[in-house]
Amino acid sequence: MGYPRLMEFDEVIRRRRMVRGYDPDRPVPPDLVDKIVRHGLRAPSAGFSQGWSFLVLTDPSDRSLFWSVTAPSSAPSSPSSQPSSPPVSPSSPSSPPVSPSSPAGSWIARMSTAPLIVVALSNKSAYIERYAESDKGWDDRDESRWPVPYWHIDTGFAALLMHLTAVNEGLASCFIGLPADRTTAFRDAFGVPGEFTPVGVLTVGYRGPDKRSPSLRRGHRPVDEVVHHGRWATAVTPSPPREG
């Protein structure tokens, strides 16, 4: 079976979805894995710092380990939210994920069928050191100079390029957060150096049975409500005229 035709960019944007169910019997071909990751490296970065790294997991044992060390013991219906209940113990990284029959396991059971996992990690020190170089001149390495943490933002850009590349290739993909209280267990399990922060996780594969997120019922916010041309367009109630 050949690859699907590549889409026009507008079509990629229209088809982009967060898909949480995959066909476990269809691995992503190695050349597509390579293409997805390489496209992520085309993302912009402040000062061309490129302070990112990506952990690519395709081996079934690695993917199983990932879910076992990151899966919470209970979770909301969507994995894009941080779980509020205690996760499985970090001291037992080989523990299996929660039962697929449990409320917490319903989305994990579907997500864990993804044949490709890409963990996007940012490295703040790469940016601090880059901007201490002579052409930038922030040799005091003062983090307060940064209005926002561009190391996280740029890594998010890279993840989005990977996500869109997957869509363009006829694959399904979803971007989820790594629970904050599972970061240490994740680092220990995969030998991730301390200077790297997991910004998010892409699951990728051929689409399987999926369940639409109930959050989609909220619908898209109107353009006029979120886009402001020239000035911030907010409704202002006029004050009553003053007498005298």
Side-chain angles (χ1 to χ4, degrees), residues 91-105:
S91 62
S92 54
S94 60
S95 301
V98 294
S99 168
S101 62
S102 71

Side-chain angles (χ1 to χ4, degrees), residues 119-123 151-153 155-156 159 175-178 197-201:
V119 185
L121 305 107
S122 68
N123 183 351
W151 37 94
H152 297 331
I153 293 170
T155 302
F175 185 74
I176 61 174
L178 191 69
T197 300
V199 171
V201 182

Side-chain angles (χ1 to χ4, degrees), residues 76-130:
S77 58
S78 171
S80 59
S81 304
Q82 294 292 351
S84 56
S85 301
V88 292
S89 170
S91 62
S92 54
S94 60
S95 301
V98 294
S99 168
S101 62
S102 71
S106 59
W107 63 261
I108 294 175
R110 286 182 282 121
M111 297 289 288
S112 62
T113 60
L116 169 62
I117 298 172
V118 181
V119 185
L121 305 107
S122 68
N123 183 351
K124 177 175 66 176
S125 64
Y127 284 72
I128 300 298
E129 294 303 318
R130 170 68 185 97

Side-chain angles (χ1 to χ4, degrees), residues 4-43:
R5 67 174 181 84
L6 299 183
M7 305 176 195
E8 295 292 336
F9 183 72
D10 287 354
E11 186 180 1
V12 172
I13 299 302
R14 285 195 302 270
R15 292 194 177 207
R16 192 217 61 75
R17 298 287 186 277
M18 292 298 183
V19 179
R20 298 168 173 83
Y22 305 90
D23 183 346
D25 298 320
R26 293 188 69 188
V28 179
D31 58 330
L32 285 189
V33 175
D34 184 65
K35 183 176 184 178
I36 289 168
V37 175
R38 288 181 179 274
H39 278 195
L41 302 184
R42 300 293 299 177

Side-chain angles (χ1 to χ4, degrees), residues 36-37 39-41 54 118 158-167 202:
I36 289 168
V37 175
H39 278 195
L41 302 184
F54 306 98
V118 181
L160 179 59
L161 287 184
M162 294 185 199
H163 177 59
L164 294 178
T165 300
V167 175
L202 273 176

